Amino acid sequence: MKRSWLALLLLIIALAVLALLPTLVNNYWLRIATGALMWAGLACSWNILGGYAGYINFGHSAFFGIGAYATAILMGENFALPFVATIPIGLVVTALFAVIIGAPTLRLRGAYFAIATWAFAEVLMQFAAVVEFTGGIGGLGLPPFLNERFFYFAMLAGAILAYFLTWSLFERSRFGLKVKALRDHEPAAEAMGINTSLVKLQTFVLSAVVASMFGSIFAYWVTFINPKSVFGGDITDQMVVMVLLGGLGSLWGPAIGGVALFFVNRLIWMYWGDTAFYIAILGAAIILVVLFLPNGIAGLFSRRNGKSGTTVLDKVVGRLLGSGTGGRL
């Protein structure tokens, strides 16, 4: 009970700080905070399928790019729709693509599924580079809107929605139990009467539309996109590492990993003027997580067992204190 109230209090404080942040920092740091919120949301969207369902998607940037291009095309001079109207259209288009791609590919598992999704993103990137309505390799421009607070609160609203959906659907509902059951043992889940094909497809579509939402906001925020900037494989790679660092299949792990790695990226840019070193950091992060934090940073705070309620971090601290007083480490 105390742990629940403490978590609620910390959440309220965090939301209050986020709501007041535009009044506390300048536009430069507000822009960095906006990017951190976007990556926390994108990591959450990848975790829906990769963490909760156990399907490693190496082509998740495809849905981010579909949302971005939907907004860019619809806000262009041919349609001239307002930004808010482009988001639901982009979500519908993304959902249709997710159903078309997910229905056959979700029959695959492991590396076969990962390769199939990676190929889908590559096909979309090459397609966007040659057709006229996407602007080809030159990309598309959007009407500029120079209001950092608007985009900050848009990303904040998107992140809150993404994590609320994840919490309500995967942590507090029967649907989440079905998804975890098929992740742990799909044949057993089918034997219990779960329609695993439908549940997997629903999870895939939900993961896709959340990424699409952030793609739409991103396109309007940066006012220019090209195939590489929204379909590039490095976008998915960063989502994967962020989730692994924060905690695969956990609620807050993607937020921890997303914010931490994005700030590292920006600090490297500030002090060195180049983010090439960031790739090396991503590789090192993967190695360290696999060797020392298989459950990610969030795993340090997860309950060790339901009776005691102790966490891994509690146990580590207890052993350290015990060793300092003659106890056994």
Side-chain angles (χ1 to χ4, degrees), residues 129-144:
V130 297
V131 296
E132 184 177 351
F133 67 88
T134 62
I137 196 68
L140 289 176
L142 289 84

Side-chain angles (χ1 to χ4, degrees), residues 104-327:
T105 57
L106 287 168
R107 298 177 182 272
L108 306 172
R109 289 289 288 185
Y112 298 102
F113 176 79
I115 293 172
T117 52
W118 168 81
F120 170 59
E122 287 295 315
V123 167
L124 283 184
M125 183 168 67
Q126 297 303 323
F127 177 78
V130 297
V131 296
E132 184 177 351
F133 67 88
T134 62
I137 196 68
L140 289 176
L142 289 84
F145 184 57
L146 305 178
N147 189 329
E148 286 299 328
R149 291 194 176 192
F150 171 82
F151 293 109
Y152 171 80
F153 283 113
M155 290 292 187
L156 177 60
I160 291 174
L161 178 60
Y163 282 90
F164 176 76
L165 286 175
T166 303
W167 174 79
S168 60
L169 291 177
F170 296 95
E171 299 287 343
R172 291 293 186 272
S173 75
R174 291 176 59 86
F175 178 75
L177 294 176
K178 293 178 181 179
V179 173
K180 294 173 184 176
L182 71 88
R183 175 194 64 190
D184 295 337
H185 202 291
E186 190 169 337
E190 290 179 347
M192 294 172 61
I194 298 174
N195 187 344
T196 56
S197 297
L198 178 60
V199 171
K200 287 188 292 185
L201 186 59
Q202 290 171 333
T203 307
F204 188 70
V205 171
L206 179 62
S207 174
V209 297
V210 173
S212 173
M213 174 182 63
F214 287 102
S216 294
I217 301 172
F218 173 79
Y220 192 29
W221 181 37
V222 300
T223 71
F224 174 81
I225 60 171
N226 58 29
K228 181 66 176 177
S229 68
V230 293
F231 286 122
D234 59 316
I235 298 174
T236 300
D237 295 343
Q238 291 185 77
M239 295 185 215
V240 175
V241 179
M242 288 171 176
V243 174
L244 290 177
L245 177 64
L248 185 68
S250 63
L251 177 61
W252 297 113
I256 297 171
V259 172
L261 283 183
F262 179 77
F263 271 102
V264 168
N265 179 291
R266 293 297 88 191
L267 288 174
I268 292 173
W269 176 262
M270 288 168 58
Y271 290 102
W272 280 281
D274 187 7
T275 56
F277 185 59
Y278 178 64
I279 305 300
I281 290 180
L282 289 181
I286 294 174
I287 295 173
L288 292 175
V289 166
V290 171
L291 291 177
F292 303 107
L293 291 175
N295 295 319
I297 297 174
L300 294 173
F301 303 93
S302 63
R303 295 195 175 191
R304 189 70 176 180
N305 57 67
K307 294 181 180 180
S308 67
T310 59
T311 67
V312 177
L313 188 62
D314 294 334
K315 192 170 183 178
V316 171
V317 172
R319 286 185 175 182
L320 290 174
L321 292 177
S323 65
T325 57

